[in-house]
Amino acid sequence: MEPQLIERLEKAVARLEALSSGAAAVGGDDGGDVSSDPSIIAFDDFIKEYVGRVMKAAEQIGGQVLDVTKILLEAFTVQKELLIKIKQTQKPDMVGLGEFLMPLNEAIMKASKMTEGRRSDFFNHLKAATDSLSALAWIAYTGKDCGMSMPIAHVEESWQMAEFYNNKVLVEYKSKDPNHVEWAKAMKELYLPGLRDYVKSNYPLGPVWSATGKAPTKAPAKRPSPGAPAPPPAPPASLFSSESSQPSSSRPKQGMSAVFQDISAGNFTGGLRKVTADMKTKNRADRTSVVSAVEKETRATTPSFSKTGPPKLELQMGRKWVVENQIARKNLVIDDCDAKQSVYIYGCKDSVLQIQGKVNNITVDKCNKMGVVFKDVVAAFEIVNCNGVEVQCQGSAPTISVDNTSGCQLYLSKDSLQTSITTAKSSEINVMVPGAEADSDWGEHALPQQFIHVFKDGHFETTPLSHSGG
């Protein structure tokens, strides 16, 4: 590790130790030097080893990758402050906990802002780093009724979402630049095994608050830089809570086409249950609750949960909607969203999700017979590793990408006819476009999956094989 990086990390640790010692001297009832606690020392070593490796690789790359990695270091530094504070403070209520975690939320929001706007050349780096920071919310675990997975499981689940973009970095730079490959590998080891093993060794059941410490007060103040703007307002309680999908009545099985036909006819909300503010907690005692069964033609009943994990429909860290393992659910709705949030749909089957509002990015990953209806996206709509997907855009989308997918039906609105559609390793892709008149039939266009390559004038010329029936 470079001496300059080691010196920077040691200075940051020294400032934190001075801050924690001052706090203990002012009002700590526990006494003693909290910074010498074995769990805090272990966290120092963890930062130096794992975060230091990511920083070293980022310094070789520079630019936005270095910037987002510095924010990542800041977030882990803030977590150490909070761990010290927890040992000196009595356990707060849920409102107090949200205020207590404000500095961590601010660091995560700072990283999220780097993924907004025009898509960067290092977008996958930024998304991997930003999404991975949700793993730090393990510190908010307060018991099995808090609506979160246990700390170790939470770290593992959070990295699984970030790994989607981290793998893209590995594939893109595998034969181009070893510094990017090292950064991606260091990112993974930071969480698995790094943070996971630290939590397993020190906080397997969550943080232990002081029983005799001072009463909870406002969150630890950040050291503002000169001329820095005022901090943003307090985050919602969803910083560390999540929303689960609720049991709902099943729609008669008429196929995806019937569902989209209803939507096209203007029946947008009939029979749909909205995710309201009071539903933004999991409201279940454990992670193995069974969602209601749905009728099928070939079997009497089929449980609507996946063998790979429990169903999810939740907003994580206030920035990402996660829809996972939904089986035979035709009435999923996300309506409380904004242009700064992304939607990640994973492992769903025979379900329909409607997104009512503009979001930054939508990704559909490893889904079968999944329908998605959305209005507008700022960046892109991505379909990866899917089978039999149907997607309807009611507004606009700059880019739609289809990768390693078999069977994809895209319904475009008049506002989205300028959409750029990118395909790779995919087949049976059909695009439906509206007719010239309001009552005209939809026009169906099959995107080519076969090409003709002819060597001419010293190079190959590639043309798509015609799909016309003539």
Side-chain angles (χ1 to χ4, degrees), residues 19 48 63 102 113 116 141 201 225 229 261 276 283 292 302 314 317-318 333-334 345 354 379 413 437 444 463-464 469:
L19 179 64
K48 291 178 182 178
M102 169 76 80
K113 289 180 180 179
E116 299 171 2
Y141 183 81
S201 300
S225 57
Q261 183 177 2
T276 58
N283 290 330
S292 61
T302 299
E314 59 189 44
M317 307 300 289
V333 182
I334 296 176
I345 308 164
Q354 185 174 357
S413 66
E437 304 295 334
E444 183 174 5
T463 56

Side-chain angles (χ1 to χ4, degrees), residues 276-470:
T276 58
D278 60 344
M279 296 166 64
K280 292 183 180 177
T281 54
K282 295 200 172 186
N283 290 330
R284 59 178 184 256
D286 52 43
R287 303 285 294 177
T288 59
S289 59
V290 179
V291 186
S292 61
V294 295
E295 295 294 332
K296 283 199 170 183
E297 296 175 357
T298 58
R299 299 172 62 181
T301 57
T302 299
S304 55
F305 65 91
S306 172
K307 295 180 180 179
T308 60
K312 290 183 181 180
L313 199 166
E314 59 189 44
L315 181 63
Q316 296 185 345
M317 307 300 289
R319 312 301 295 176
K320 168 180 278 190
W321 285 93
V322 175
V323 184
E324 291 183 358
N325 304 320
Q326 299 287 347
I327 308 298
R329 301 292 302 279
K330 302 295 179 63
N331 55 358
L332 302 170
V333 182
I334 296 176
D335 61 350
D336 185 14
C337 54
D338 59 51
K340 296 182 180 180
Q341 296 173 344
S342 61
V343 179
Y344 181 70
I345 308 164
Y346 177 83
C348 298
K349 181 179 180 181
D350 194 24
S351 300
V352 177
L353 171 67
Q354 185 174 357
I355 304 170
Q356 300 176 344
K358 178 182 288 188
V359 294
N360 184 269
N361 183 76
I362 302 174
T363 301
V364 184
D365 186 11
K366 292 184 179 179
C367 294
N368 292 317
K369 297 182 181 179
M370 182 68 189
V372 180
V373 184
F374 70 98
K375 289 189 177 180
D376 301 281
V377 294
V378 177
F381 189 105
E382 300 174 291
I383 305 170
V384 187
N385 304 322
C386 294
N387 291 293
V389 177
E390 295 192 39
V391 176
Q392 179 167 1
C393 177
Q394 298 175 336
S396 62
T399 302
I400 297 177
S401 64
V402 185
D403 188 9
N404 196 28
T405 293
S406 175
C408 179
Q409 191 92 341
L410 301 176
Y411 295 79
L412 302 181
S413 66
K414 290 186 177 180
D415 294 334
S416 60
L417 294 180
Q418 302 301 317
T419 296
S420 172
I421 302 176
T422 303
T423 64
K425 297 186 293 183
S426 300
S427 61
E428 302 176 19
I429 303 177
N430 294 311
V431 182
M432 307 290 291
V433 298
E437 304 295 334
D439 57 348
S440 300
D441 294 334
W442 287 71
E444 183 174 5
H445 302 268
L447 299 187
Q449 63 189 63
Q450 295 177 309
F451 300 87
I452 301 174
H453 311 279
V454 179
F455 190 75
K456 185 177 181 180
D457 298 332
H459 66 278
F460 277 97
E461 292 184 355
T462 301
T463 56
L465 183 65
S466 174
H467 282 66
S468 64

Side-chain angles (χ1 to χ4, degrees), residues 22-61:
V26 172
D29 294 332
D30 290 347
D33 188 1
V34 176
S35 61
S36 63
D37 185 274
S39 64
I40 303 301
I41 295 176
F43 200 77
D44 281 337
D45 296 337
F46 161 76
I47 290 178
K48 291 178 182 178
E49 179 180 357
Y50 290 99
V51 183
R53 180 184 172 188
V54 182
M55 279 294 300
K56 183 178 179 180
E59 288 179 341
Q60 297 298 318
I61 300 171

Side-chain angles (χ1 to χ4, degrees), residues 62 68 73 87 164 166 182 192 217 243 290-291 380 403 407 420 468:
V68 77
L73 172 61
K87 293 183 177 297
F164 174 76
N166 202 62
E182 168 63 16
L192 304 179
T217 56
E243 309 86 340
V290 179
V291 186
D403 188 9
S420 172
S468 64

Side-chain angles (χ1 to χ4, degrees), residues 193-222:
L195 182 60
R196 179 193 62 192
D197 289 355
Y198 171 79
V199 174
K200 183 177 181 180
S201 300
N202 297 276
Y203 301 99
L205 301 179
V208 180
W209 298 81
S210 173
T212 59
K214 59 186 178 182
T217 56
K218 292 185 177 180
K222 291 180 61 180

Side-chain angles (χ1 to χ4, degrees), residues 48 59 83 99 106 123 176 219 237-238 241-242 281 323 442:
K48 291 178 182 178
E59 288 179 341
L83 290 174
E99 185 177 6
E106 290 177 353
F123 178 79
K176 291 169 57 176
S238 58
S241 67
S242 56
T281 54
V323 184
W442 287 71

